[in-house]
Amino acid sequence: MNKLTVKDLDVSEKRVLVRVDFNVPLEDGKVADDTRIRAALPTINYLLEQSARVILVTHLGRPKGQVKDELRLDPVAQKLADLLKKEVVKTDTTVGEEVQQAVENLQPGQVLLLENVRFNPGEKANDEEFARQLAALADVYVNDAFGTAHRAHASTVGVAKFLPAAAGMLVEKEIQTLGEALQNPERPFTAVLGGAKVSDKIGVINNLLEIVDALIIGGGMANTFLEAKGYDMGASLVEKDKLDLAKEAMSAAEAKGVKLLLPRDLVVAREVAENSEYKTVPVDRVPENWKAVDIGPETAKTYAEQITASKTVVWNGPMGVFEIEPFAKGTEALAQAMAEVEGTTIVGGGDSVAAVEKMGVADKLTHISTGGGASLQFLEGKPLPGIEALRDK
Ligand code: ADP
Ligand code: MG
């Protein structure tokens, strides 16, 4: 990576402001899933070992620039303290007198968590004065919030202007793994794209077509491709205004010699519901008023073979409506194939990550990206403002 990392900084006894992504789900006032907190532990523990004074800042949910008691970070502080086996001091504000006092009291090797940064309207506005107030709390800045690296906010971009700014260990790992796969992949390189819509991912499709050897399309977006090829998709989710984009992508794949795989059979259902009637049909037999909800078994087999024959696989977007058990089989088959790959396997995207975790193969993959939107933007080949803002090596 061409940016400074936390290990390039002298942090001993320094006040280190660390932007983390502790945007975790809460249930009954408790942290329901601590994955994102655990992902930041390597950086926090490193800083503590170096006797830094650690000041953590994160957002939680969408308070829209106002104080929302249900989005206070007290449960997060509690969970972090449990994980670190160490006291975590938490302030009820993000900047101001209370915080200045807490920072003054902070000793080397201690941890402070500031209140939800999005309680302040200056955060999302990337307000310079707010960024300056955050910066004034510390001697150096570390960004370890890969999940918000695609957002130019005060605590991700604004603050980096006023302090020596470096990447944390999670950010470094994400950028290195994703960057290596895109810049210098071991081949064959296959990308698997699914999920609901072409419109969400057309940038990813176009960028990956420049890089990969094969592109697998599944999920709802496959319907738009199939309709563009002239098939009648019944009542399936099809983006009529994206048919041209799909056609362009198919011609681009052909021109570049990229193998483009589309479903040959589909699971169709009368309703997208648990107890709906459903069946498998070839792509040219989707019944009127039925909806495609998953790739069919023949397609799943072909896709799995393509995946296991690859040395690098990047996957974003489930193959079907995997939230509903009977429509999860295509996604399950591909998750299994990913686990068998002898090479680099990367999964990014909120729902895709949830799917591979649910299917119990997460620990057999090379890398699970913690950033949904950020990893998509990276796969689009676009710069991430939160990374750009850091100092060059
Ligand atoms: P990710 O979060 O991994 O980037 P997306 O958000 O793009 O993935 O897509 C996930 C969603 O796509 C899931 O909610 C899933 O139910 C939906 N989906 C997948 N296949 C279909 C389909 N055939 N029809 C409608 N929705 C689908
Ligand atoms: Mg999603």
Side-chain angles (χ1 to χ4, degrees):
M1 194 162 80
N2 61 348
K3 295 291 180 181
L4 280 190
T5 74
V6 59
K7 293 197 171 160
D8 298 318
L9 301 172
D10 174 14
V11 294
S12 174
E13 309 208 350
K14 297 271 170 56
R15 297 169 302 163
V16 185
L17 181 69
V18 189
R19 177 51 157 106
V20 286
D21 177 10
F22 287 172
N23 185 27
V24 292
L26 297 181
E27 261 169 45
D28 304 325
K30 288 213 172 85
V31 174
D33 178 352
D34 63 4
T35 309
R36 286 187 165 162
I37 302 179
R38 280 187 285 110
L41 292 180
T43 297
I44 298 171
N45 279 321
Y46 171 79
L47 289 169
L48 293 174
E49 280 159 26
Q50 302 292 310
S51 302
R53 302 167 206 252
V54 180
I55 307 164
L56 303 173
V57 60
T58 182
H59 76 282
L60 177 68
R62 296 192 167 135
K64 308 233 162 90
Q66 287 174 346
V67 176
K68 292 259 162 71
D69 281 332
E70 67 277 16
L71 292 176
R72 285 193 179 276
L73 293 176
D74 299 74
V76 175
Q78 184 59 55
K79 176 55 87 179
L80 177 63
D82 293 348
L83 290 169
L84 289 172
K85 299 186 182 66
K86 192 174 187 69
E87 189 196 359
V88 172
V89 180
K90 184 198 156 267
T91 54
D92 291 330
T93 43
T94 318
V95 292
E97 234 166 86
E98 180 211 6
V99 175
Q100 278 160 13
Q101 195 57 53
V103 170
E104 246 165 67
N105 294 339
L106 195 67
Q107 299 301 309
Q110 289 189 335
V111 182
L112 177 69
L113 176 63
L114 307 181
E115 186 57 277
N116 194 341
V117 69
R118 285 196 192 163
F119 286 177
N120 308 270
E123 166 63 358
K124 287 186 89 168
N126 192 11
D127 176 67
E128 180 156 315
E129 186 45 39
F130 181 59
R132 208 188 289 272
Q133 281 179 292
L134 282 172
L137 300 173
D139 305 301
V140 295
Y141 169 74
V142 171
N143 188 349
D144 210 23
F146 183 71
T148 41
H150 59 314
R151 304 276 184 233
H153 295 166
S155 71
T156 61
V157 168
V159 66
K161 201 161 72 183
F162 302 113
L163 292 173
M169 286 148 91
L170 173 64
V171 161
E172 185 186 7
K173 181 170 171 251
E174 291 272 7
I175 297 292
Q176 245 161 16
T177 318
L178 294 169
E180 181 77 7
L182 296 191
Q183 276 148 34
N184 194 17
E186 234 197 300
R187 295 183 184 275
F189 178 9
T190 297
V192 186
L193 291 178
K197 295 201 214 138
V198 174
S199 46
D200 291 341
K201 308 208 170 157
I202 190 68
V204 179
I205 295 174
N206 288 336
N207 186 46
L208 290 179
L209 279 175
E210 303 286 332
I211 309 170
V212 298
D213 301 298
L215 180 60
I216 290 176
I217 305 273
M221 72 158 79
N223 302 337
T224 302
F225 276 83
L226 291 170
E227 180 132 331
K229 282 184 68 133
Y231 295 109
D232 182 352
M233 297 308 289
S236 305
L237 170 71
V238 172
E239 289 167 279
K240 300 272 186 206
D241 59 335
K242 295 295 177 298
L243 295 172
D244 284 342
L245 282 181
K247 281 184 196 151
E248 278 162 31
M250 288 188 281
S251 328
E254 199 172 338
K256 289 174 207 306
V258 174
K259 184 169 159 192
L260 184 75
L261 288 84
L262 289 171
R264 297 177 54 206
D265 60 343
L266 295 162
V267 175
V268 292
R270 280 193 194 275
E271 296 302 330
V272 186
E274 194 80 46
N275 49 10
S276 168
E277 191 187 341
Y278 66 93
K279 60 186 176 187
T280 301
V281 297
V283 284
D284 57 356
R285 299 283 161 76
V286 176
E288 214 188 318
N289 296 326
W290 288 56
K291 298 179 172 98
V293 288
D294 195 7
I295 55 173
E298 197 191 309
T299 303
K301 188 161 169 278
T302 311
Y303 285 9
E305 280 164 9
Q306 174 64 37
I307 289 171
T308 49
S310 302
K311 285 274 188 284
T312 305
V313 185
V314 171
W315 183 10
N316 172 275
M319 292 293 104
V321 185
F322 75 102
E323 298 92 336
I324 298 177
E325 182 51 36
F327 314 145
K329 294 197 181 70
T331 304
E332 269 164 27
L334 265 56
Q336 216 52 55
M338 288 285 282
E340 285 166 28
V341 171
E342 287 172 28
T344 306
T345 46
I346 298 174
V347 178
D351 293 292
S352 320
V353 169
V356 297
E357 276 171 355
K358 188 169 145 203
M359 286 155 199
V361 298
D363 60 349
K364 298 211 178 74
L365 307 178
T366 312
H367 184 65
I368 307 253
S369 179
T370 53
S375 60
L376 268 186
Q377 190 160 324
F378 197 91
L379 295 178
E380 283 180 41
K382 287 196 197 144
L384 300 173
I387 310 298
E388 297 291 297
L390 304 175
R391 280 209 190 159
D392 290 330
K393 261 211 165 89

